Amino acid sequence: KIVALFKLRILHKKSALARPFLPTKLNAKSISLISMFCLFAWFALGFFKVNMDESAVITRFGAYSTTLGAGYHWILKPFQHYTIINSGKVTKLSTNVKLLTQDENKIAVDVNIDYSIVNPRNYLFATAQPLLKLQEILNSVVNQVLSQFTLNQLLSISNFSLAERLQKQLETLTIKQQTGLTIKNIELGSIQIPEQLQASFTDAANANLTVLRANNWIPLRLLLIGLPLCLIAGYLIGLLLFPNMHWLEVAILATIL
C-alpha cells in the first residue's frame, strides 16, 4: 500500500508537470495590452493644436515639408516634427545708428521698429540668423538714407517723411534677403549731434530776438546812406585824379572800385 501510494503521488506530479503553464497565457495577454497601449500613446502623441495667428512648420527627416495653419493636426512621429511660429506677434527692435551727414557731420539717431514673421519657412530655413540680418539691413538703410541730407536738413525735415522712406527700403530689402519678416512700423528718435555743434545750436536757440530786431536798422542804414556816400566820394576823387577822363567813365570806375 505504501509503495502504491508513493507511485500514485509520482504520477500526479508528472501529470501536473504535463499541464500547460497558466502564467504563460497571462504574460502573452499582458504583452498584448502593453503593445496596444504603446501604439495608442504613439498615435495620440502625433496630434497637436495650432492656435489662431500661429503657423506650424512641418519637417520630415529634418527637411522642410509643409506649413499648417490654425486647427488640430497629426504628424508621423518620430519621422516628422513641427515648430510653432507666432505670426501674429509684433516684436520691437531698437538700435542706435551712427553716421556721417552729407556735410560730413557725425550724428547718431535712435531707431525703433515693429516687426512680425510673415513667412515662417523663410524665417526658419532661408536665413541662418534672420534677426541679425534684420539688424544689419536696418543699419545699412538708415546710413544710406540719412547720409543724403545735411545736418540742417535733417533738423528741419519731419521724422514722419524720413520714416516712410526708411520703411519702403526696409520692406524691399527684407523681402530680397528672404528673412521672412515684415516691418509694421518705424519711428525715428531725436538726432544726436556732436558737443561742439550742440553749443552753436544752443546759442542760436537762446538768441535774444528783441535785440536782433532792434539792430535791424544798422545794415539798412549802411545800404541807404553809407553806400551812396561811398559812390559819391569815389566819383569826386576820380574827377580829381583823372581830370581828362569823361565823367561817365569816372562814375563807372568809382562804382567798380
Side-chain angles (χ1 to χ4, degrees), residues 20-179:
F21 187 57
L22 293 179
T24 304
K25 291 185 177 181
L26 294 177
N27 287 342
K29 186 176 181 180
S30 300
I31 293 173
S32 300
L33 291 175
I34 293 173
S35 300
M36 292 179 63
F37 176 78
C38 292
L39 182 63
F40 177 78
W42 167 79
F43 184 77
L45 289 175
F47 285 97
F48 65 96
K49 180 183 178 182
V50 180
N51 297 321
M52 294 295 296
D53 296 331
E54 290 182 346
S55 300
V57 179
I58 308 300
T59 57
R60 183 183 293 113
F61 299 108
Y64 174 80
S65 175
T66 185
T67 301
L68 302 176
Y72 290 93
H73 307 280
W74 184 83
I75 58 174
L76 184 64
K77 286 191 173 184
F79 308 107
Q80 291 180 318
H81 296 276
Y82 69 91
T83 302
I84 299 296
I85 299 296
N86 193 342
S87 303
K89 181 181 179 182
V90 178
T91 308
K92 291 186 176 293
L93 175 64
S94 301
T95 185
N96 183 269
V97 182
K98 297 180 181 179
L99 57 105
L100 280 175
T101 61
Q102 190 180 37
D103 51 355
E104 297 184 353
N105 285 311
K106 293 181 179 180
I107 63 172
V109 59
D110 294 324
V111 184
N112 304 310
I113 65 171
D114 297 333
Y115 70 90
S116 63
I117 301 173
V118 68
N119 191 322
R121 178 181 182 179
N122 287 345
Y123 178 76
L124 291 177
F125 299 103
T127 307
Q129 295 179 322
L131 297 183
L132 182 59
K133 178 63 68 175
L134 177 62
Q135 181 92 23
E136 294 175 355
I137 293 173
L138 178 60
N139 291 338
S140 175
V141 169
V142 173
N143 268 283
Q144 181 181 357
V145 173
L146 298 189
S147 61
Q148 299 175 359
F149 299 92
T150 63
L151 180 57
N152 288 331
Q153 289 174 338
L154 289 176
L155 294 175
S156 59
I157 196 171
S158 66
N159 287 351
F160 180 76
S161 60
L162 288 176
E164 280 188 336
R165 184 177 300 186
L166 289 173
Q167 185 166 353
K168 289 180 181 179
Q169 294 201 20
L170 277 174
E171 285 287 353
T172 302
L173 288 179
T174 50
I175 295 174
K176 183 178 180 180
Q177 296 293 334
Q178 294 183 338
T179 60

